[in-house]
């Protein structure tokens, strides 16, 4: 029995269009993440890894959509192929089955290294851009999520003994952001 064709799509930001990645590739089910590829902790990737079964084929537009880190790429491909799941990379025209030739393994490593290198270049350019913007006085960092009045209310409620998780939910912020506001001096 032939397994399912499972598509995996990743875009880095919410405003990017994920549809183009597998538009010419038929899949039975698609898993789409809107997150950075810097690490493998992505909800839809996790769902795909849990869902994929022996005989299935995972289809990804390109290796850098699956992982921007060589270790993650190798680990993901190995975990899938060890369970009898094929993985196809459309752009690179490579398929991995677990019974791969040394050349296929080399190509996975080389292409994965390029994806990791590209991620490092992006981060370097971002740091340089921020440094230049700071010199011009144009960069002030991220805007705060809450106003001064809201932060005072948040502190008052926490000091009164309300649960931090509940307060964070009501203000629409994460608990980590709540803790940062509690550490800030106004």
């Amino acid at each position: 029995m032939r397994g399912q064709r499972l598509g995996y799509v990743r875009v880095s930001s919410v405003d990017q269009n994920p549809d183009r990645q597998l538009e010419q590739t038929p899949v039975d089910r698609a898993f789409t993440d809107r997150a950075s590829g810097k690490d493998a902790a992505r909800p839809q990737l996790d769902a795909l890894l849990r869902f994929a079964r022996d005989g299935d084929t995972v289809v990804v537009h390109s290796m850098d959509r699956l992982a921007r880190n060589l270790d993650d790429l190798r680990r993901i491909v190995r975990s899938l192929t060890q369970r009898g799941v094929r993985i196809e990379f459309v752009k690179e025209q490579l398929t991995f089955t677990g019974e791969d030739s040394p050349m296929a393994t080399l190509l996975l490593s080389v292409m994965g290294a390029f994806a990791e290198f590209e991620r490092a270049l992006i981060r370097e350019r971002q740091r340089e851009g921020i440094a230049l913007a700071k010199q011009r006085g144009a960069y002030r960092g991220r805007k705060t999520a809450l106003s001064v009045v809201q932060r005072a209310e948040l502190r008052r409620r926490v000091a009164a003994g309300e649960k931090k998780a509940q307060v964070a939910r009501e203000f629409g912020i994460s608990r980590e952001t709540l803790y940062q506001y509690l550490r800030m001096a106004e």
Side-chain angles (χ1 to χ4, degrees):
M1 181 177 115
R2 180 179 89 75
Q4 294 186 66
R5 289 181 57 81
L6 309 171
Y8 179 72
V9 175
R10 182 189 63 78
V11 291
S12 299
S13 64
V14 188
D15 59 335
Q16 288 180 316
N17 182 3
D19 297 335
R20 71 165 186 83
Q21 289 183 25
L22 295 177
E23 69 183 341
Q24 300 297 319
T25 308
V27 294
D28 298 309
R29 182 170 176 178
F31 296 81
T32 303
D33 273 315
R34 294 178 186 277
S36 170
K38 67 182 177 188
D39 61 45
R42 290 173 255 143
Q44 288 298 295
L45 177 59
D46 292 341
L48 168 69
L49 295 174
R50 285 191 310 271
F51 186 85
R53 301 287 183 260
D54 184 15
D56 288 348
T57 300
V58 171
V59 183
V60 185
H61 176 69
S62 66
M63 287 181 188
D64 69 337
R65 299 295 84 201
L66 188 60
R68 289 271 194 174
N69 172 302
L70 182 57
D71 293 333
D72 288 342
L73 179 65
R74 284 181 179 150
R75 183 182 47 74
I76 293 166
V77 169
R78 190 177 314 116
S79 76
L80 287 167
T81 57
Q82 285 175 345
R83 294 181 2 228
V85 178
R86 292 169 41 103
I87 184 159
E88 293 177 8
F89 294 102
V90 176
K91 184 176 177 184
E92 293 88 357
Q93 298 179 2
L94 290 173
T95 300
F96 295 91
T97 63
E99 299 171 6
D100 304 311
S101 69
M103 181 58 81
T105 304
L106 173 65
L107 286 173
L108 178 71
S109 296
V110 169
M111 299 303 287
F114 276 114
E116 189 171 323
F117 177 66
E118 185 179 27
R119 168 87 178 125
L121 288 177
I122 289 168
R123 290 186 51 131
E124 182 179 39
R125 287 190 300 263
Q126 182 182 33
R127 280 192 301 271
E128 289 170 355
I130 289 171
L132 289 171
K134 281 181 178 179
Q135 287 175 356
R136 290 191 320 267
Y139 183 84
R140 303 195 194 316
R142 185 183 215 172
K143 291 192 183 342
T144 58
L146 301 179
S147 69
V148 174
V149 173
Q150 289 173 314
R151 292 190 300 256
E153 175 66 11
L154 176 139
R155 284 192 194 88
R156 184 194 65 72
R157 289 175 61 181
V158 169
E162 288 189 48
K163 293 186 177 180
K164 291 178 179 121
Q166 180 62 36
V167 173
R169 259 192 308 280
E170 289 180 20
F171 278 94
I173 59 174
S174 69
R175 284 187 319 189
E176 178 55 36
T177 301
L178 178 133
Y179 286 116
Q180 287 175 8
Y181 284 136
L182 293 176
R183 287 190 299 264
M184 285 173 60
E186 293 281 347

